[in-house]
Amino acid sequence: MGRQRRRGAGRGVATEEEAEDDGFRSRPLTNKELRHGAGSDCRTMYGLAAMQGWRAAMEDAHLTLPDFDTDRGLSLFGVFDGHGGAAVAQVAAERLPGLLRSRPAYGSHSYADA
C-alpha cells in the first residue's frame, strides 16, 4: 500500500455533555483531521481534511487507496456520508474495495458497471 501521514486524529471528539438531545452540538467542533499520502510509485498523491462540525459525533468515513490495483494502475478514493450512522459509513468504506474486486464487471475492465 502507499504511504500515509495523519495529523489531528482523536482531537476534538465531542463529549456527551456537549451534545444536544437532537444529536447536534450547540456550536461546531472545528478541529480538523488532516491526512496526505502517496502511492508506492509516488505518481498518485492525495490530501484529505475532515471536520466533525455540528454533529454530536463524527459520522463520516473515508477511503484512501492510492495503490488499489497497481497492475491496472487504479486508485480508489471515497467519502461515505454518515447519515445512516457512523457504523454504516465505516462498513461501506471497509467493504467497498473487496466488493468491487469481486464483481465480474471489474474483472472484465467494465469499471462503470462494477
Side-chain angles (χ1 to χ4, degrees):
M1 291 297 200
R3 299 175 297 157
Q4 185 177 118
R5 294 188 182 181
R6 187 175 182 163
R7 294 187 327 182
R11 291 186 297 176
V13 176
T15 60
E16 288 188 30
E17 65 267 14
E18 294 172 325
E20 301 291 327
D21 290 338
D22 62 359
F24 289 91
R25 301 172 48 80
S26 59
R27 63 183 195 284
L29 191 59
T30 59
N31 293 349
K32 293 161 190 73
E33 175 185 353
L34 304 173
R35 291 189 212 172
H36 66 277
S40 57
D41 62 2
C42 292
R43 293 184 64 196
T44 303
M45 301 173 110
Y46 68 88
L48 168 109
M51 184 180 82
Q52 184 175 321
W54 293 95
R55 295 278 180 179
M58 176 53 110
E59 297 178 352
D60 299 343
H62 308 92
L63 174 65
T64 56
L65 297 175
D67 293 326
F68 174 65
D69 189 334
T70 55
D71 292 338
R72 298 180 189 194
L74 298 175
S75 300
L76 181 63
F77 300 95
V79 177
F80 302 89
D81 196 312
H83 286 301
V88 172
Q90 187 60 42
V91 167
E94 290 170 2
R95 293 188 180 175
L96 181 62
L99 178 65
L100 281 175
R101 287 185 181 108
S102 71
R103 306 276 299 162
Y106 181 84
S108 64
H109 303 268
S110 298
Y111 306 122
D113 295 329

